[in-house]
Amino acid sequence: MSKASRPENPEPLMIAAKSVSEAYARTLLHVLEHQGNEIAPLVLTMDGFGDGYEIPENTQVRAALDALLSKKKKRDVEDVAYTIFPQRLWTMAQGDRAKLFEFYKMAFPFYRAQNPKANGKGLYFERLMMYGRGPCDGNQLEWILSQYDSRPGVRRSMWQATTFDPDRDHSATAQLGFPCLQHVSFVPTKAGLVTNAFYATQQLFDKAYGNYLGLAQLAAFMAHEMGIPLARLNVTIGVAKLERITKTDSAMKPLIEAARACVAPAPRPSASLQLAAQPA
């Protein structure tokens, strides 16, 4: 095949944002404003996290998306985020990670029984802390935290956890809803913890925002337990797809308006205000 006849080789789309809401808004708007319904590949990088491990969000974007998800009978943002990190249990544990892990082990059978179709193969946090084999009884997060700063010069490749398991997940089934998130790594830096996640595919409409929020909450938990700030979250997605809703669906309008307002540049002060601000 000649070079001229080769199909287009797409470059990654890189989106930088100061919140999970902005990352979602910029991604959604890019798909809506370009041909097709996919971005392949997509790389997101988010910072702007608070000193107290707060996860900044735009309330208008979040509310508009949750309202649309409810209208389309999809799981809300918090429910999707919970599959990656159980924030409510962490709040109940009051900063005690042993209690968090204990609470989750107790609750997981209920989560699976509540929705056997979606959760029959497991949940992301379950794979991270109940993988089924490995040190710390398969609790990959506890292994990472127990080894962190245990001695000088610990290799950084140690701080990684997987959710994909070839033994359970290599299947010829045409459609599988789990696991799309494959891998997470944690990189302590001078600025704080940098967390990296990789998705093979991702559903932009009903999963992406919750995915970003859950990953940010997981990263904040790990940073808290390491005693360092949360500096950045990077998410690489092989194929990001806008499915289960069409671009022309009129129900999208409030979400689109909120997304555009979220990414709009802050208004510049008028010339008179600039002059007034100058010292006499």
Side-chain angles (χ1 to χ4, degrees):
M1 181 184 295
S2 66
K3 185 175 182 179
S5 63
R6 290 176 187 169
E8 182 181 355
N9 183 14
E11 294 183 358
L13 174 65
M14 178 76 172
I15 292 178
K18 293 293 183 183
S19 71
V20 294
S21 306
E22 183 187 353
Y24 180 79
R26 291 191 181 280
T27 303
L28 177 66
L29 292 174
H30 180 90
V31 174
L32 295 176
E33 294 165 0
H34 291 78
Q35 289 185 344
N37 66 342
E38 293 185 354
I39 305 173
L42 170 65
V43 180
L44 302 171
T45 183
M46 293 163 257
D47 62 358
F49 301 105
D51 293 336
Y53 305 105
E54 300 91 354
I55 311 300
E57 291 187 78
N58 179 290
T59 54
Q60 288 76 24
V61 173
R62 172 73 179 268
L65 177 58
D66 271 335
L68 180 57
L69 291 169
S70 176
K71 186 172 185 177
K72 298 297 184 180
K73 295 181 171 51
K74 302 293 185 182
R75 301 161 72 185
D76 64 17
V77 167
E78 182 180 0
D79 198 15
V80 174
Y82 200 89
T83 65
I84 298 174
F85 186 76
Q87 186 66 38
R88 295 192 301 276
L89 294 186
W90 179 228
T91 301
M92 289 171 55
Q94 299 182 328
D96 184 335
R97 75 171 184 260
K99 284 187 177 180
L100 167 65
F101 296 146
E102 180 184 354
F103 290 162
Y104 193 84
K105 283 184 176 180
M106 293 171 58
F108 176 70
F110 170 75
Y111 298 152
R112 181 149 56 184
Q114 191 178 35
N115 193 342
K117 182 178 179 180
N119 302 337
K121 294 190 67 178
L123 294 165
Y124 291 116
F125 193 73
E126 176 256 343
R127 289 279 180 103
L128 291 172
M129 63 153 286
M130 299 162 60
Y131 191 75
R133 57 188 185 276
C136 295
D137 292 326
N139 190 332
Q140 300 176 80
L141 302 178
E142 180 59 34
W143 163 253
I144 291 169
L145 293 171
S146 67
Q147 295 298 308
Y148 175 70
D149 205 24
S150 61
R151 59 190 185 278
V154 175
R155 56 182 171 81
R156 287 182 292 179
S157 62
M158 188 180 292
W159 320 133
Q160 55 182 316
T162 187
T163 59
F164 184 83
D165 181 359
D167 187 51
R168 290 178 279 183
D169 302 323
H170 271 161
S171 167
T173 302
Q175 295 288 332
L176 284 176
F178 176 91
C180 295
L181 171 65
Q182 309 286 297
H183 190 86
V184 186
S185 72
F186 306 95
V187 184
T189 70
K190 291 181 180 179
L193 182 66
V194 175
T195 300
N196 306 288
F198 175 75
Y199 280 82
T201 63
Q202 186 177 76
Q203 292 289 341
L204 288 177
F205 166 52
D206 55 340
K207 295 292 181 67
Y209 193 116
N211 291 163
Y212 307 157
L213 180 60
L215 287 169
Q217 291 170 340
L218 173 65
F221 163 72
M222 295 296 285
H224 176 274
E225 293 304 284
M226 291 177 171
I228 58 177
L230 173 56
R232 185 171 294 277
L233 170 63
N234 301 312
V235 185
T236 300
I237 302 134
V239 182
K241 305 178 289 185
L242 183 67
E243 296 180 329
R244 301 166 185 167
I245 195 168
T246 65
K247 291 183 178 183
T248 57
D249 192 323
S250 60
M252 289 267 283
K253 185 177 178 180
L255 175 59
I256 294 170
E257 291 176 349
R260 286 176 175 160
C262 177
V263 304
R268 297 180 63 182
S270 65
S272 58
L273 290 176
Q274 292 179 11
L275 289 173
Q278 293 179 0

